[in-house]
Each structure stands twice: as C-alpha cells, then as structure tokens.
Amino acid sequence: MLRLPRWSVRRWLVLAAALAVVVAGLVVVWVARDGERTRLERALEVVPESTQRFSWTDWTAVRDTVGTNVDAGSSAEDVRSFLLTAYDRDLTATTALDDSGPAMQTTLGFSPASLDWELFAQGSDGALVAMGLPEGYDVAALRDRLRDLGYSEPDAADGVWDAGTDLVSRLGDGSLTPELAALQIDDDDHVLYAADQASYLRGRADAARGERDDATATAAGALGDPPSALLLGGDQACTELAMSEADDADKVRAAELVKEAGGVHPLTGFAIATEPGGGVRVAMTLEKADQARADADSRSQLAAGEAPGQGGTFPDRFRLGKVSADGTLLTMALEPRDGQSVLSDLADGPLLFATC
C-alpha cells in the first residue's frame, strides 16, 4: 500500500479542513440567500412563465391572523366558519378555493384549513393552482384517496391524476371548483398542482418561471410575507385596472384629475397585499427610476382624492401612509378605515391611482 510521507499527510489534512470550511461557507451563503426570499417569491418560481395574474394566499398566516384553530381533521362546518371569518377580514379575496373549501376538506382530505399556501396563476395559456402541502402531510394517503375517488392514476409518481370536470362536479356536494379536475404531486418540493385541464399540468415544469428578475419579482419583493396578495403583469394591470372600464362621465373626470396631478407613467407591474397587522401595501413598477419618482407625487395626490369609477373618495376607504420610490419601484402604505375591505376593493378596476 502506498504510504504518504508524514508531512504530506499533514498537508492533506490541512487542505481538507480548508475545503470543508469553504464548502460549509458556500452552504451557509446559499441558505442565507434562499432565506432572504419570501415564501411568495419562491412560489412565483414554480408557476408558468406566461402567468399575468398571481393571486397569493398564505393559509398558515391567514389561520394565525384569524386565530381559528382548524386543521386537516376539522369538520366541513368548521372550515366554512373559518373561511367566512377570513372573508370578513379581507383575507380571502385572492383564493380560488374559498367556495370549495368545505367540500375539499371532506372529499379530498386537504383544504384551506390545512394547506400551507396557495398561488392561483392565470395567463393567456391557461390557469393552475399551486398549493403548498403542510409539513408531514401523508402524500401516499392522498394518492390512495384520489384512486378511490376515480381519478385516473398516472404511470409516474410526478404524473397527472385526471378526473375530468364532469367527475369533479359530482364529487362531494358538487361545489368543488373545476380547477381540481387534474392534480399533480411534486414530492420533492411538497407542492400540489391543480388545473381544469390535465394537458396544462403536463407541460407545467417546462414552462415554469424559475428565478427571474422582472417586474413581478420586484413587486413581490416589496410585499414581505403577506397573508394575501394580488400581483399583475403590466399588460394585465392596464387591462384590469384601467379607467377604460369606467363610464364616460367617470373617464372625463379621471382625465381631469390625472392632469391636475401632473400625469402618470405606464406601469410594468402592480401588486397589492394585506399585511399581518391589518395594513395594505401597494407596489408598482415603472420603466425608469425618474418615472417612479415623479409618480410618487402624482399617484399620492390621486390616492388622496376622488375615486371616479368606484364611487366616493379613496380617503373614505383608507388613510394614505408612506409613499416612496426606490429605483423603478414605487410603494404605498394604506391604512384601511374601519369596515373597509381595501384589497378586495382595489384589486379590480377601474382604479384611478393605478391607471396606465
């Protein structure tokens, strides 16, 4: 057997120790960087690149905020009560599962009462719901349940379980959303995907956004860890929030207000989110930093005035807090008035201060 000289052994031991430190350092750096990304930011990576509307619900945070003790063993009535309470707190405006919750609990064995998070992704190519499964969730039992319910079983573990919309409409009490017609289980990431078309799920992995540095990611990074949030791509923001949806009189008044405020620039992205303490944060991305700085003033003025197309004024709905521009990102802090559901109200147009 080859024997190394004593000095070589010591040198190799030192080198090995040094390499171990470097590797450990790299691991710590990677974990730290990954830890800097919020749950929302990580969830954005798994949905299709074509997504233009991202509806986020952190069910763990919603349950904590509401203070309702529900889980996988709760009754359908308990789930219904929890969802109603969350609705009253303006925490479920972004979910695709609220009407289906009680039936999901009893039929599928998972629901907003036990899911970790949900991201409803809608785009020109289709829509899917990504759902974070809770730690320790029995995925094998889920597969057994789907098999018993009549979902067709895929050949591979990461294949698509397909029930079709007809079968789903007959399951439970008939209130399951068609988005649960096809399911795909990602064992590695502990994520469950759902869509109304099995074909859309089969191409999901290849079409995923992955880590991206775009307007959506920028807006998401400004939201922190919200219980619920809506993010819109620039084209979608202009479609859903534009004053073009208002009647003629409101369009004329809106144009006057925009002119008085000094004008606004087109958005490349828009996001609005609830905060754990009850506040609401709006994030807008623009093409250039000077546009964001200019719009910080004009959009602040618009957000503090009349709300043509919606009725009344924005101050009727919220108190405007800090408005800041950082690069191409513009953020607004809103404090809802008592009884006002600000996220629900501002998630659909026509919305003056988000106008394109």
Side-chain angles (χ1 to χ4, degrees), residues 177-211:
T177 173
E179 295 296 333
L180 296 168
L183 299 172
Q184 185 181 42
I185 303 169
D186 185 332
D187 292 272
D188 293 334
D189 290 336
H190 228 46
V191 177
L192 176 65
Y193 298 93
D196 60 355
Q197 297 293 327
S199 58
Y200 191 59
L201 288 186
R202 293 190 180 102
R204 175 201 58 78
D206 293 336
R209 280 171 50 86
E211 281 196 59

Side-chain angles (χ1 to χ4, degrees), residues 13-244:
L13 288 174
V14 171
L15 179 59
L19 286 172
V21 170
V22 172
V23 170
L26 289 174
V27 171
V28 169
V29 169
W30 184 88
V31 171
R33 286 177 179 171
D34 187 65
E36 292 173 359
R37 288 155 50 238
T38 65
R39 290 150 60 83
L40 170 57
E41 289 177 290
R42 293 195 296 271
L44 290 176
E45 296 174 8
V46 304
V47 298
E49 183 179 357
S50 60
T51 303
Q52 279 286 299
R53 181 183 176 96
F54 307 79
S55 302
W56 165 258
T57 310
D58 184 334
W59 285 113
T60 299
V62 171
R63 291 191 295 269
D64 289 344
T65 302
V66 170
T68 301
N69 187 21
V70 289
D71 54 29
S74 299
S75 67
E77 188 54 41
D78 287 340
V79 175
R80 183 176 292 106
S81 177
F82 156 64
L83 290 171
L84 286 173
T85 304
Y87 173 83
D88 290 339
R89 300 278 292 274
D90 199 25
L91 296 170
T92 60
T94 52
T95 179
L97 306 176
D98 51 347
D99 292 337
S100 303
M104 291 172 63
Q105 181 82 345
T106 56
T107 305
L108 297 172
F110 62 86
S111 78
S114 58
L115 289 172
D116 189 8
W117 53 264
E118 169 201 343
L119 182 59
F120 184 31
Q122 299 166 277
S124 58
D125 297 335
L128 65 77
V129 184
M131 295 166 278
L133 295 172
E135 186 175 350
Y137 184 81
D138 192 342
V139 177
L142 172 60
R143 288 189 169 97
D144 289 341
R145 187 185 288 257
L146 295 178
R147 193 179 297 113
D148 292 340
L149 289 172
Y151 280 76
S152 61
E153 185 173 359
D155 294 331
D158 61 351
V160 177
W161 294 76
D162 188 10
T165 54
D166 288 342
L167 174 58
V168 165
S169 68
R170 298 194 301 271
L171 291 176
D173 60 5
S175 64
L176 290 179
T177 173
E179 295 296 333
L180 296 168
L183 299 172
Q184 185 181 42
I185 303 169
D186 185 332
D187 292 272
D188 293 334
D189 290 336
H190 228 46
V191 177
L192 176 65
Y193 298 93
D196 60 355
Q197 297 293 327
S199 58
Y200 191 59
L201 288 186
R202 293 190 180 102
R204 175 201 58 78
D206 293 336
R209 280 171 50 86
E211 281 196 59
R212 299 175 67 86
D213 183 17
D214 59 7
T216 300
T218 299
L223 300 180
D225 285 302
S228 55
L230 172 70
L231 299 92
L232 301 173
D235 292 343
Q236 194 69 19
C238 291
T239 300
E240 292 196 26
L241 304 178
M243 289 304 298
S244 60

